[in-house]
Amino acid sequence: MSKLSDHLFLVTILVYAVAMVAFAADLAFRRQVVPIFRSGDVIRRTPQATRVDERELVGAGVSTGPGGRSSSLPVDPPRSSAASAGSSGAGGPGEGDDAGGHFTWLARAAVGLTALGWLIHLATIVTRGIAARRVPWGNMFEFSTVAAFICVTAFLVLLAKQRARWLGTFVLLPVVLYLGLAGTVLYKSAGPLVPALNSYWLKIHVLAAITASGLFFVSGIVALLYLAKSYRPDGPMLSRLPAAEKLDRITYGIVALSFPIWTFAVIAGAIWAEAAWGRYWGWDPKETWSFITWVIYAGYLHARSTAGWRGRRAAWFAVAAFAALIVNYYVVNIWIVGLHSYAGVG
Amino acid sequence: MSVETPSSSVPSGVPIDDPVDREWESGLEPAAVRRDREAAEAKAAGTPAPRRPKGTRSRAVATLAAAWRQLTSMRTALLLLLLLAVAAVPGSIFPQRPVNPLRVDQYLQQHPSIGPFLDRLHAFNVFTAPWFSAIYVLLMVSLVGCVVPRLRMHIRTLLAPPPKAPAHPARLPVGTSWTTDLPPDQAVAEARAVLRKARFRAVLGDPANGTTVAAEKGLLRETGNLLFHFSLIAVLVGIAIGSLFGYSGSVLVPEGRTFTNTLVAYDAFTPGARVDQARLQPFSFTLDDFSARYRASGEPADFVAALHYRTGFDGPEHTGVLKVNKPLTFGQTKVYLTGHGYAPHFVLRDRTGRVVFDDYVPCTPRGGTEPVRSSCTVKIPDAGLAPKGQLKVPQQLAFRASLIADPVGGTPELKGPQLQLSSFVGDLHLDEGTPQNVYSLDPSGLDPIRTTGAGGSNQLIQTVNVGPGPDGTVSALPDGLTLSVDGIRDWSVFAVKHDPGKSLVLIAAVLLLIGLVLTLTIRRRRIWVRAVAVPGSSGGAGGAEGAGTVGAAPSRTLLEVGGVARVGDISAEFDELAARLRHRLPESPAPSTAERETRVEAL
């Protein structure tokens, strides 16, 4: 079973890698921007257009068009037409494509491969759990595998809800690298755990930490894309991304979901630490960096709602928090001695 | 601190002169957030920030007020948050005294030049350093200064009815309108019923403002936000209580011994600043049996300590089991299992077979936490040997041994344990008043003895196979003394922790999480319905401006429904509500084109 899991792991990486290339090609060869609007206009849309566009995004195209005032349409216009009229003019690249239904065979293949990879990924985790006869998140290798799984899951959800095909390459590339790193440097064969790690709360704590990390990972990528887009909206590839505000909203949406999970992970960890070591908080390096990550994400949430800090500055917070998360994960686990030295590496 | 000023996406659709938008801005925005926004807007517009009108306050008060405003502003809070994150970093880079004092000493030895300098900067106790404390105290003050006024305002909001309807709700970011046949009064009553059913706080508006319904939902967002921030303060209070009134200690207990919770019984004890050390919580326990199981790889599989214990001085006796993740609780005090090792039974007999010394001596694990090899030190000051020479140098015995738990397999489990024993005679310097570590031996004044035993005769390092047989006995000690190691017991280290702030921290942490989820998932939104009587087909232009102003009996009612949310998009929810309203207040048959145009003009 352990062997099977390892094989599935390799297949997962391969499928993701191919899907990543397909997404990249899809992004590169995507039909060019609707001629009326240059891509640079995307972020300077009129409020009305933005609003219509938003509605398109959440899939609630049938609602009152805002045109009631701006364009002397009847009070009660045939609403869907108003909405679609707005979006066909204002829809940025990427969004407009999807709305128009230009789902190329390349895009289909990319999405299909990702879904396939996701299923194999799931099988990898399940077989690993069966082989080790415990929850499959006991060491750093398994942690990475599950965190990458959460990443891809989050991406698939965004794909379904936000039509975020443009995100494919940017999520799958780090996921493939991350899994590759996990499979080579961090690999440890399936086995039982030391007694200190064998606890109910710990399983919950680690699962919550993995889930939050996976989600933060995606939000970090989107935040970086936001920054790139906001500095150079016309840059190569960047012009094919959705509007900066949309990227900002997605970043916020993911952080708003994962921040409570992270908070819960920290609390669960404290409860477990209290049971195992007799203190709920001891400024162990891992705890310190969890705290740092938490504080910066709290800063992000506050910055995003503070005048003068919204936008780029807030996004830098999200990126800094993401960096703290990475430090917490790699640097602390591998190079700093602490009570969390469970990684089984080095 | 985390109140959203209107996000760029939603209110941007409303022109700034919209009265609702204004009201929304001023009524919902905490002072601190507003100041930040105004300052930012002023900066953007190139004008100085608006100042409060100067009253009769003195300059000093004004300065203080300005400083307070600055401190409680969101920008300051953000900077402090960043600073806190950065300040915590050295705490993970340098070894910390409260976590591992040994590594701090090591670091100081290895870095003699920069070490003391770092020490002066509190690099080895970052989390109690004045500069670290300063940041979080400022942050807490800023937090309190921000949330207390917000709490007041939130209570006011909760008590007040939802704000009155704007002139034209249909012009809001989400809005719609239609005509119905019901008269305005009835229409709004129905609309209110629909909104109430959707769990909106819906009230009929002041008749002076026309026939309206004002509805609001999602006040729990701010409630959650405040809950989060107050819980954060409570967590800190709990931590403070714990560090003032809590204590922790550790004690090594061999099997068969009893520990009583008094200061003298501890090997190490760290009290909080306000702990009455004479009155520790009374309890005692005896370690009956300790067992450790290991895997073939030498990794520990399970530790179990069986004990019987007593709460209070003379409470009833209970038996219990302690495991690594399962502490034993005495009220607010908990006892944890933190380490274990072996204590061989050393018995020294004189030539007549009389027992001179008899004790289980704990050996400390070497190189790691598992007792694969442990060091034993036995000091016998009174072995009955006569002092030597003119100076009457005491002739005391000492043994140093390396205990190997499993000589064949090399595991930490006891499988034919063996001692490599060195024996010494001489002065132990015990009477000189300088404190000694029981686990180490001062070699000055001690002479090694060559002994006879299982490893042969005349050996400086003798092999002792632990057990009652002859292999467990060492002879050829002075005066015909013999030392036998006939048995071995486990010992265990118990950590005793008392933290009276812990339950508060836990409760506060749970509330904090609840508040966080509420504030991040709930959206605050408002919906208004305005019903305006419109004249029948004969009505003229402008007739819809005010309800009931037209002489002809109104035959229809124009319903305007609209809503706003501070953050996010409520169009889906609004559409559903509008559909329900339409269902309850059905639309009249389509009016003539002329009529429609009239209405559009009126709007």
Side-chain angles (χ1 to χ4, degrees):
Chain A
M1 205 51 124
S2 179
K3 270 260 171 63
L4 174 66
S5 176
D6 293 351
H7 289 316
L8 287 172
F9 179 77
L10 273 178
V11 177
T12 307
I13 296 183
L14 283 174
V15 173
Y16 282 158
V18 177
M20 175 193 87
V21 172
F23 272 122
D26 173 48
L27 194 67
F29 303 132
R30 186 171 285 192
R31 239 163 47 105
Q32 272 308 314
V33 181
V34 186
I36 308 166
F37 284 87
R38 280 186 308 109
S39 49
D41 293 331
V42 171
I43 54 166
R44 288 191 292 274
R45 275 185 216 152
T46 60
Q48 282 83 13
T50 310
R51 245 171 41 228
V52 174
D53 186 48
E54 264 165 37
R55 250 178 238 164
E56 273 296 277
L57 298 175
V58 294
V62 277
S63 68
T64 314
R69 179 181 54 235
S70 60
S71 61
S72 55
L73 278 169
V75 177
D76 191 10
R79 280 169 290 142
S80 53
S81 78
S84 61
S87 78
S88 63
E95 300 154 36
D97 274 5
D98 294 340
H102 295 289
F103 227 70
T104 59
W105 64 270
L106 206 55
R108 268 178 229 280
V111 172
L113 279 169
T114 312
L116 178 70
W118 184 82
L119 283 174
I120 303 172
H121 200 160
L122 183 65
T124 309
I125 295 166
V126 171
T127 48
R128 179 87 181 180
I130 295 169
R133 291 168 196 282
R134 57 171 168 76
V135 289
W137 49 82
N139 55 42
M140 206 167 155
F141 165 69
E142 292 166 2
F143 190 110
S144 306
T145 312
V146 180
F149 180 73
I150 300 285
C151 275
V152 179
T153 309
F155 166 60
L156 286 174
V157 170
L158 283 174
L159 198 60
K161 281 196 153 184
Q162 305 270 2
R163 305 187 160 262
R165 242 162 66 206
W166 48 270
L167 190 57
T169 318
F170 302 102
V171 164
L172 287 179
L173 175 67
V175 160
V176 166
L177 290 176
Y178 181 64
L179 283 175
L181 198 65
T184 49
V185 182
L186 309 174
Y187 182 75
K188 205 183 177 212
S189 57
L193 295 174
V194 292
L197 292 183
N198 220 337
S199 141
Y200 189 72
W201 271 111
L202 191 69
K203 286 167 193 156
I204 299 173
H205 159 63
V206 176
L207 183 62
I210 293 173
T211 309
S213 302
L215 292 173
F216 279 147
F217 200 107
V218 178
S219 75
I221 291 165
V222 182
L224 282 170
L225 290 177
Y226 166 82
L227 284 171
K229 178 89 183 181
S230 75
Y231 284 113
R232 287 196 59 197
D234 290 319
M237 291 289 250
L238 294 174
S239 64
R240 289 147 203 237
L241 295 181
E245 302 120 63
K246 183 179 176 184
L247 296 174
D248 175 55
R249 268 203 315 282
I250 292 177
T251 310
Y252 173 77
I254 302 173
V255 173
L257 174 67
S258 48
F259 185 68
I261 301 177
W262 184 255
T263 310
F264 173 73
V266 171
I267 293 173
I271 290 173
W272 173 66
E274 200 274 328
W277 303 319
R279 86 287 183 293
Y280 52 85
W281 197 263
W283 295 112
D284 171 78
K286 195 87 180 177
E287 293 169 347
T288 305
W289 278 94
S290 304
F291 171 78
I292 293 170
T293 309
W294 191 86
V295 164
I296 308 179
Y297 272 118
Y300 166 74
L301 291 176
H302 284 106
R304 206 173 167 280
S305 60
T306 304
W309 287 74
R310 224 171 280 135
R312 282 181 200 161
R313 276 200 213 179
W316 280 115
F317 266 89
V319 171
F322 178 53
L325 191 78
I326 298 290
V327 168
N328 197 5
Y329 188 59
Y330 284 110
V331 179
V332 174
N333 272 15
I334 299 174
W335 287 288
I336 299 182
V337 182
L339 289 163
H340 280 78
S341 309
Y342 57 82
V345 286
Chain B
M1 289 195 292
S2 70
V3 160
E4 289 81 2
T5 52
S7 87
S8 57
S9 56
V10 175
S12 58
V14 184
I16 3 172
D17 58 11
D18 191 304
V20 178
D21 204 33
R22 274 288 141 129
E23 185 278 332
W24 183 257
E25 294 277 302
S26 56
L28 273 180
E29 208 172 29
V33 178
R34 188 177 62 239
R35 278 196 308 272
D36 280 350
R37 181 179 53 79
E38 283 170 358
E41 282 169 5
K43 200 175 155 196
T47 53
R51 282 175 180 247
R52 292 190 167 184
K54 272 189 184 168
T56 49
R57 290 183 305 180
S58 73
R59 236 213 179 109
V61 175
T63 315
L64 271 177
W68 177 252
R69 272 210 305 279
Q70 191 63 46
L71 181 63
T72 55
S73 81
M74 191 71 113
R75 272 168 301 162
T76 310
L78 274 171
L79 283 174
L80 286 171
L81 267 177
L82 258 189
L83 218 54
L84 187 69
V86 172
V89 174
S92 73
I93 295 173
F94 302 110
Q96 296 296 298
R97 264 208 192 90
V99 180
N100 197 338
L102 243 67
R103 284 190 54 224
V104 175
D105 293 342
Q106 259 174 32
Y107 188 93
L108 284 172
Q109 273 168 18
Q110 285 163 6
H111 304 86
S113 51
I114 198 159
F117 175 69
L118 286 172
D119 203 5
R120 228 170 307 145
L121 293 178
H122 302 271
F124 304 116
N125 35 12
V126 165
F127 302 106
T128 50
W131 46 267
F132 190 80
S133 314
I135 296 171
Y136 76 75
V137 167
L138 277 176
L139 194 58
M140 277 302 123
V141 173
S142 164
L143 177 62
V144 171
C146 187
V147 292
V148 169
R150 266 177 60 188
L151 178 66
R152 260 201 313 257
M153 200 159 69
H154 186 53
I155 291 171
R156 246 196 332 245
T157 315
L158 284 173
L159 295 177
K164 64 178 189 173
H168 295 291
R171 292 180 185 177
L172 290 171
V174 285
T176 181
S177 65
W178 68 93
T179 47
T180 182
D181 289 335
L182 279 158
D185 289 343
Q186 252 176 303
V188 288
E190 292 286 319
R192 187 179 66 165
V194 169
L195 286 165
R196 285 208 168 153
K197 204 162 176 217
R199 316 257 311 269
F200 269 82
R201 216 162 61 109
V203 294
L204 292 182
D206 182 3
N209 184 34
T211 322
T212 59
V213 181
E216 189 169 29
K217 194 175 177 179
L219 289 176
L220 258 181
R221 179 193 184 89
E222 179 71 353
T223 310
N225 199 317
L226 290 169
L227 181 65
F228 170 80
H229 287 105
F230 279 100
S231 302
L232 203 61
I233 299 169
V235 165
L236 270 145
V237 170
I239 292 172
I241 291 174
S243 69
L244 283 177
F245 300 98
Y247 60 82
S248 67
S250 71
V251 59
L252 184 152
V253 182
E255 279 172 333
R257 295 267 173 85
T258 300
F259 166 77
T260 308
N261 191 25
T262 51
L263 191 57
V264 288
Y266 281 100
D267 296 334
F269 189 76
T270 327
R274 294 260 179 276
V275 173
D276 185 351
Q277 300 184 16
R279 292 179 191 212
L280 304 183
Q281 193 189 357
F283 66 86
S284 64
F285 63 85
T286 305
L287 179 62
D288 296 324
D289 180 57
F290 181 91
S291 68
R293 286 193 306 106
Y294 292 94
R295 296 206 182 86
S297 60
E299 285 180 327
D302 203 11
F303 298 142
V304 182
L307 30 86
H308 60 271
Y309 58 93
R310 210 187 269 279
T311 311
F313 293 112
D314 44 22
E317 216 165 59
H318 302 281
T319 54
V321 169
L322 240 171
K323 291 183 177 182
V324 172
N325 285 333
K326 282 172 92 180
L328 195 64
T329 310
F330 298 95
Q332 282 177 322
T333 311
K334 283 188 172 181
V335 179
Y336 299 83
L337 199 60
T338 56
H340 87 111
Y342 300 114
H345 187 219
F346 290 89
V347 183
L348 187 70
R349 292 189 176 83
D350 66 10
R351 63 174 76 228
T352 64
R354 190 174 64 89
V355 172
V356 179
F357 174 90
D358 174 357
D359 201 5
Y360 286 93
V361 180
C363 302
T364 51
R366 264 206 317 237
T369 50
E370 303 312 326
V372 178
R373 280 168 167 274
S374 349
S375 307
C376 319
T377 306
V378 188
K379 296 177 188 178
I380 308 176
D382 192 13
L385 299 175
K388 206 174 172 184
Q390 278 188 322
L391 289 170
K392 299 267 178 201
V393 178
Q395 292 296 290
Q396 298 166 322
L397 284 184
F399 301 94
R400 197 151 61 180
S402 171
L403 169 69
I404 305 157
D406 178 7
V408 182
T411 69
E413 220 156 347
L414 284 181
K415 281 176 192 157
Q418 209 171 53
L419 286 173
Q420 299 294 331
L421 182 91
S422 322
S423 312
F424 303 90
V425 66
D427 189 356
L428 289 173
H429 307 289
L430 286 175
D431 305 327
E432 292 162 16
T434 44
Q436 271 192 20
N437 186 339
V438 288
Y439 297 113
S440 69
L441 209 56
D442 175 8
S444 68
L446 288 176
D447 296 319
I449 310 169
R450 293 180 182 272
T451 55
T452 303
S457 57
N458 212 21
Q459 299 287 316
L460 271 177
I461 298 175
Q462 184 61 261
T463 305
V464 183
N465 294 315
V466 177
D471 277 0
T473 304
V474 175
S475 55
L477 296 167
D479 260 8
L481 288 164
T482 56
L483 178 77
S484 49
V485 189
D486 58 2
I488 198 159
R489 281 184 178 174
D490 290 283
W491 55 255
S492 173
V493 174
F494 294 95
V496 180
K497 312 262 177 173
H498 176 77
D499 186 348
K502 215 150 58 179
S503 33
L504 175 61
V505 172
L506 179 65
I507 293 167
V510 171
L511 291 176
L512 178 147
L513 195 59
I514 293 171
L516 192 59
V517 170
L518 287 179
T519 196
L520 287 176
T521 51
I522 291 176
R523 269 189 315 231
R524 187 168 172 188
R525 59 268 196 211
R526 289 172 178 169
I527 292 200
W528 291 280
V529 181
R530 183 178 282 278
V532 182
V534 284
S537 50
S538 60
E545 273 306 328
T549 54
V550 181
S555 61
R556 279 176 180 171
T557 301
L558 170 65
L559 277 177
E560 272 196 64
V561 184
V564 277
R566 299 219 64 173
V567 260
D569 177 51
I570 57 161
S571 53
E573 186 188 12
F574 179 82
D575 289 343
E576 205 204 310
L577 267 174
R580 269 193 248 170
L581 284 167
R582 268 173 205 273
H583 181 74
R584 192 80 164 254
L585 301 161
E587 191 166 1
S588 320
S592 69
T593 324
E595 198 181 350
R596 186 187 278 177
E597 269 163 11
T598 309
R599 243 181 18 242
V600 170
E601 266 169 43
L603 283 164

